[in-house]
Amino acid sequence: MRILAIETSCDETSLSILEAKGGFSAPKFKVLKHLITSQIKLHEPFGGVVPNIAKREHIKNLPILYREMFGEGTKEKAEWKKISLMAITVGPGLEPALWAGIEFAKKLSKDWKKPLIGANHMEGHLWSFLLDPKKKYDAKKVFPSVALLVSGGHTILLLMKDIKTWKKLGETRDDAVGEAFDKVARILKLPYPSGPQIEKLSREGNENAIEFPRPMLHDKNYDFSYSGLKTSVLYYCRDNPSANPADVAASFQNAATEVLIKKAMRAAKEFKAKSIIMAGGVAASMYLREKLGSEVKKEKMIFLVPGFTFNTDNAAMIGAAGYFNYLRKKKRPLIARGDLGV
Ligand code: KG4
Ligand code: ZN
């Protein structure tokens, strides 16, 4: 089935048309058209995403992307004829930004008489590894799987029995890991968007220079906590004003990712996982990809992580999450809530 998906949960406006088939047992996605526009430059002076500016920009950008994708007149009509489902992010995300997308999607759904289904943003991230055209995937070799979802708002560890059955093993009790990267970058006065800047600066530093805490590393659960680590960095910089920022960045990155890697690997062993899935904005970190990837390889498991195009917020992943929601709630293809809690 052909799906039009829309994502506006944060500062990226994105529209995708994708073909989905195979159901839960052998899902296959083919992204046919993919448009994305980022508002990063506009939020830069504020050092973070301003919800109302994000909303205003989504309202401005959605019709522009729509025209680019659908054209006008007969071309537009022909395109709609092929579409059988629409998917829209309903959360989690910035409320005003989400509503800009939801209102736009609702109007299109009404005008063109197409069913509209809601999708959870984090579920979108979870499925983004399925969008890579070059990678083939065999469910028998993947499940059970442990999934690590790491973004600016979430740090979640899931145990997946198969593609439609999972349970949450743990999550952060305070800040998300991406949020900690952003805050530490601000302490170090690095430019916005700051998460990737930590990784860049870390390459020049010694990651064992400072012994930052590894919160909850030895706790017998799969929860995380990042607020204490961020505060340690703050106090360290206050008490050591001449510290080398690259050493601070590298030591922080080492501490923050070690907890993710150790807990994900521990869960994988405990539940005899055949693979580890990693997704979300923080999964863009090459440092984390390489470190976790090599641990996964040592255990002869499969490491599933999306290519860079679909790792950042995008509509194609929302199309995948929408497809699975559609399969689950076939008789009620209305705004539906995802399983990770909106
Ligand atoms: O998934 P995402 O694009 O948006 C949310 O859904 O939150 O994730 C954004 C987060 C930000 O906190 C950003 O700092 C972080 O991903 N991030 C990184 C890297 N690139 C992006 N964190 C660490 N290292 C990176 N290279
Ligand atoms: Zn995201």
Side-chain angles (χ1 to χ4, degrees):
M1 73 184 329
R2 193 165 288 194
I3 305 171
L4 165 66
I6 302 172
E7 151 72 33
T8 64
S9 69
C10 194
D11 61 342
E12 258 103 20
T13 319
S14 180
L15 251 65
S16 254
I17 293 180
L18 63 165
E19 202 60 59
K21 61 177 186 182
F24 281 119
S25 55
K28 264 206 164 58
F29 298 99
K30 191 174 177 194
V31 181
L32 304 173
K33 288 184 182 178
H34 186 57
L35 296 175
I36 183 158
T37 151
S38 172
Q39 310 168 1
I40 273 180
K41 284 271 161 276
L42 284 162
H43 299 286
E44 199 178 321
F46 304 96
V49 180
V50 183
N52 279 328
I53 296 181
K55 173 188 169 185
R56 185 192 72 197
E57 290 303 302
H58 288 312
I59 290 171
K60 193 182 91 192
N61 291 330
L62 280 166
I64 298 172
L65 295 189
Y66 173 78
R67 277 287 161 245
E68 196 179 331
M69 191 165 257
F70 282 80
E72 268 174 288
T74 46
K75 189 174 175 292
E76 184 184 16
K77 266 193 198 137
E79 202 66 72
W80 273 107
K81 248 191 175 165
K82 293 180 252 168
I83 286 171
S84 38
L85 181 71
M86 289 177 63
I88 175 74
T89 313
V90 292
L94 304 169
E95 191 92 349
L98 287 165
W99 278 111
I102 293 170
E103 293 300 345
F104 186 79
K106 272 174 144 175
K107 184 163 186 319
L108 284 181
S109 153
K110 200 168 160 234
D111 289 353
W112 295 94
K113 298 185 180 56
K114 300 287 176 182
L116 174 65
I117 196 151
N120 179 292
H121 181 82
M122 295 311 292
E123 283 186 38
H125 277 302
L126 177 62
W127 302 126
S128 50
F129 77 93
L130 292 170
L131 300 169
D132 200 331
K134 280 180 240 115
K135 285 198 190 124
K136 288 217 166 65
Y137 123 99
D138 175 359
K140 282 190 212 83
K141 292 192 183 138
V142 169
F143 297 107
S145 178
V146 162
L148 179 63
L149 303 180
V150 279
S151 73
H154 295 82
T155 312
I156 302 172
L157 203 58
L158 298 175
L159 173 63
M160 309 189 62
K161 194 171 146 244
D162 54 42
I163 216 149
K164 62 176 170 184
T165 329
W166 66 69
K167 75 170 189 188
K168 203 185 271 181
L169 294 174
E171 65 188 323
T172 183
R173 295 194 179 168
D174 40 58
D175 291 355
V177 59
E179 197 179 343
F181 269 83
D182 296 333
K183 285 179 178 165
V184 167
R186 231 172 284 159
I187 297 169
L188 295 175
K189 301 194 172 53
L190 298 176
Y192 179 84
S194 33
Q197 299 290 335
I198 296 264
E199 186 179 12
K200 209 167 139 200
L201 182 60
S202 293
R203 289 192 201 114
E204 297 155 29
N206 171 6
E207 67 173 21
N208 298 310
I210 308 152
E211 186 68 28
F212 286 126
R214 270 75 169 152
M216 304 187 74
L217 180 61
H218 301 293
D219 290 23
K220 285 192 179 22
N221 57 46
Y222 292 111
D223 282 346
F224 303 93
S225 163
Y226 280 100
S227 125
L229 172 57
K230 166 204 71 192
T231 311
S232 300
V233 176
L234 182 68
Y235 289 165
Y236 185 88
C237 292
R238 186 194 62 189
D239 299 339
N240 302 276
S242 57
N244 175 5
D247 285 348
V248 177
S251 302
F252 159 75
Q253 181 176 252
N254 186 11
T257 53
E258 189 181 321
V259 190
L260 295 176
I261 294 165
K262 291 238 165 99
K263 287 209 154 175
M265 292 307 295
R266 198 199 297 160
K269 279 180 200 163
E270 182 180 342
F271 298 103
K272 299 188 174 47
K274 290 185 187 158
S275 70
I276 288 193
I277 299 169
M278 178 169 74
V282 182
S285 164
M286 279 312 295
Y287 175 87
L288 180 56
R289 279 176 186 231
E290 279 164 16
K291 253 187 144 174
L292 180 55
S294 83
E295 290 299 315
V296 173
K297 219 171 156 189
K298 266 189 229 161
E299 298 302 323
K300 301 200 168 33
M301 292 188 290
I302 302 169
F303 187 41
L304 296 160
V305 61
F308 289 105
T309 318
F310 300 118
N311 192 80
T312 43
D313 292 349
N314 68 85
M317 68 183 200
I318 298 306
Y323 175 62
F324 291 130
N325 277 356
Y326 171 79
L327 295 178
R328 277 192 203 103
K329 296 164 189 173
K330 235 175 177 165
K331 291 198 185 87
R332 204 167 55 87
L334 299 166
I335 298 277
R337 294 192 163 221
D339 285 0
L340 291 178
V342 172

